[in-house]
Amino acid sequence: MAEDHSLHYRNEFCERFSFYGMRSVLTIYLINFLGYGNNSATVLFHAFTVLAYTTPLFGSMLADGYIGKFWTIFFLSIVYAAGQI
């Protein structure tokens, strides 16, 4: 019997949408609204990108070693949603 992957696909879509949406306006927001210089905004932009690509490693360790795939996706989806507010 095939597994239902719809939760995973929906979560992945929302995560990618959030990532690219944030990435497209982050530097503008840092420079125009928070008053950072170009160099500082660039460093923070790249730090955001690095964190976005490295934190899934910690999520996979959490899922495989402690609480399971479903609960990891569920709890971290709540964190994603709270971060967008």
Side-chain angles (χ1 to χ4, degrees):
M1 186 171 196
E3 291 184 35
D4 182 21
H5 294 287
S6 64
L7 175 65
H8 176 74
Y9 293 137
R10 285 181 281 166
N11 184 288
E12 187 64 25
F13 172 77
C14 291
E15 187 271 331
R16 289 283 102 193
F17 185 77
S18 172
F19 172 72
Y20 288 115
M22 176 66 78
R23 192 176 151 168
S24 65
V25 298
L26 181 61
T27 306
I28 296 168
Y29 181 75
L30 290 170
I31 293 170
N32 293 339
F33 291 100
L34 296 181
Y36 284 92
N38 287 338
N39 291 336
S40 297
T42 301
V43 168
L44 289 171
F45 171 81
H46 289 296
F48 171 77
T49 304
V50 167
L51 284 173
Y53 283 108
T54 57
T55 53
L57 296 172
F58 299 112
S60 66
M61 289 187 278
L62 183 66
D64 291 343
Y66 298 103
I67 63 174
K69 176 178 73 172
F70 175 80
W71 290 111
T72 301
I73 292 172
F74 179 76
F75 288 129
L76 293 180
S77 294
I78 292 171
V79 172
Y80 281 140
Q84 293 300 311
I85 294 176

